[in-house]
Amino acid sequence: MKALLAAAGFATPEAAVMKEPLPVYAAGSLREVLTEIAQAHEVHTGQKVVLTLGASGLLRERIENGEAAMVFASANTEHPQRLADSGAWAPYQVFVRNSLCALTSDGVSTTPQTLLATLLDPAIRVGTSTPKADPSGDYAWALFRKADAVQPGAYTRLDAKALKLTGGADSPKAPAGRGTYAWVMDQGQADVFLTYCTNAEAARQEVPRLRVVSVPPTLQVGAAYGVTVRQGAPASAQAFAQMLLAPWAQATFARHGFDQP
């Protein structure tokens, strides 16, 4: 049995399994996929994992303020790099990637080719997450900068009109059982919301009348997710972080719409 598990990438050395639950802090966009992976990891290794999910920047601040995370899986590389720079955490490793998409209401008709014009339309309310607190917001502003190279002046217009609706410390929370982006769009808070493609697809599944539009290559910025482990953490922490790159875990990420590192 151990040989079969090892071949599947599940095996964890007995010394790397601790009795205490392993505290893992992770980006909210990983909620569904990482919950599935953590459950499989626990079943096949015996290591219980406790996930704390939220905006990566806010999680990093909580860690810096003393919370006892042992693994941090961020939706960008800047936050884990900041922890590593402190000397208390190991250098990060990119374990998965994502892309930006536009989630639109059914009243908005746009395509990848017309997306920029739609975003710049004064009548269109553009929703984003909150920069600095949530990498999704940082990626949206990176898209605005790329837009400026396509159409001079676009950055200033988008920067002024974008609505920071999610990911901040004071952002309204979706009701229990509702996805954040599906709820925001269902409430009519924005006409177009720039978010990860995985989030957009999940929102469309929850509210089928919503539409998902790909961001064209000229505007796409991509998202690299980095994982880091606290220096001196139990071996189970390093084992969990490395497991994220195992073939079975990567296949699970792919099934949820994420890209390989």
Side-chain angles (χ1 to χ4, degrees), residues 220-247:
Q220 185 61 255
V221 295
Y225 286 52
V227 63
T228 180
V229 176
R230 187 184 293 273
Q231 298 284 14
S236 57
Q238 185 63 44
F240 182 86
Q242 289 302 311
M243 174 274 301
L244 298 177
L245 290 164

Side-chain angles (χ1 to χ4, degrees), residues 10 12 17 21 35-50 240 243 248:
F10 279 118
T12 296
V17 178
T35 296
E36 181 178 337
I37 287 174
Q39 289 172 345
H41 182 71
E42 180 177 344
V43 167
H44 291 279
T45 67
Q47 177 62 64
K48 183 172 179 57
V49 176
V50 176
F240 182 86
M243 174 274 301
W248 72 268

Side-chain angles (χ1 to χ4, degrees), residues 103-109 125 185 190-193 209-211:
L103 179 65
T104 80
S105 69
D106 54 354
V108 173
S109 179
R125 295 167 300 158
M185 295 298 290
D191 302 304
V192 178
F193 200 107
R209 62 183 174 78
L210 299 177
R211 299 168 179 169

Side-chain angles (χ1 to χ4, degrees), residues 4-257:
L4 291 174
L5 293 177
F10 279 118
T12 296
E14 292 182 6
V17 178
M18 63 179 184
K19 293 181 180 179
E20 297 80 9
L22 175 67
V24 175
Y25 283 32
S29 54
L30 296 169
R31 182 177 303 275
E32 289 80 10
V33 65
L34 203 57
T35 296
E36 181 178 337
I37 287 174
Q39 289 172 345
H41 182 71
E42 180 177 344
V43 167
H44 291 279
T45 67
Q47 177 62 64
K48 183 172 179 57
V49 176
V50 176
L51 295 175
T52 297
L53 298 146
S56 297
L58 299 182
L59 292 178
R60 190 211 75 229
E61 290 179 357
R62 290 168 61 178
I63 292 169
E64 290 174 331
N65 288 332
E67 295 194 20
M70 292 295 158
V71 179
F72 176 44
S74 173
N76 69 359
T77 59
E78 286 79 5
H79 294 310
Q81 180 63 58
R82 177 162 165 173
L83 292 181
D85 288 344
S86 73
W89 288 72
Y92 72 82
Q93 186 170 14
V94 174
F95 65 98
V96 78
R97 295 181 185 273
N98 211 335
S99 300
L100 284 188
C101 278
L103 179 65
T104 80
S105 69
D106 54 354
V108 173
S109 179
T110 191
T111 67
Q113 292 71 33
T114 62
L115 180 59
L116 179 55
T118 299
L119 294 175
L120 291 169
D121 185 336
I124 295 294
R125 295 167 300 158
V126 178
T128 71
S129 198
T130 305
K132 306 302 181 185
D134 186 346
S136 176
D138 296 317
Y139 293 129
W141 258 257
L143 182 153
F144 296 166
R145 292 184 178 89
K146 294 195 76 171
D148 207 60
V150 176
Q151 186 169 329
Y155 176 84
T156 299
R157 294 165 62 185
L158 292 169
D159 176 63
K161 72 179 294 191
L163 305 171
K164 305 177 185 71
L165 299 175
T166 63
D170 299 321
S171 297
K173 306 299 181 186
R178 294 300 308 272
T180 298
Y181 305 96
W183 175 71
V184 165
M185 295 298 290
D186 206 19
Q187 293 291 307
Q189 296 182 40
D191 302 304
V192 178
F193 200 107
L194 295 172
T195 185
Y196 304 120
C197 294
T198 53
N199 287 343
E201 291 292 348
R204 180 168 61 178
Q205 290 179 21
E206 185 175 335
V207 182
R209 62 183 174 78
L210 299 177
R211 299 168 179 169
V212 179
V213 179
S214 298
V215 170
T218 51
L219 300 179
Q220 185 61 255
V221 295
Y225 286 52
V227 63
T228 180
V229 176
R230 187 184 293 273
Q231 298 284 14
S236 57
Q238 185 63 44
F240 182 86
Q242 289 302 311
M243 174 274 301
L244 298 177
L245 290 164
W248 72 268
Q250 287 293 307
T252 307
F253 281 122
R255 179 159 47 79
H256 283 262

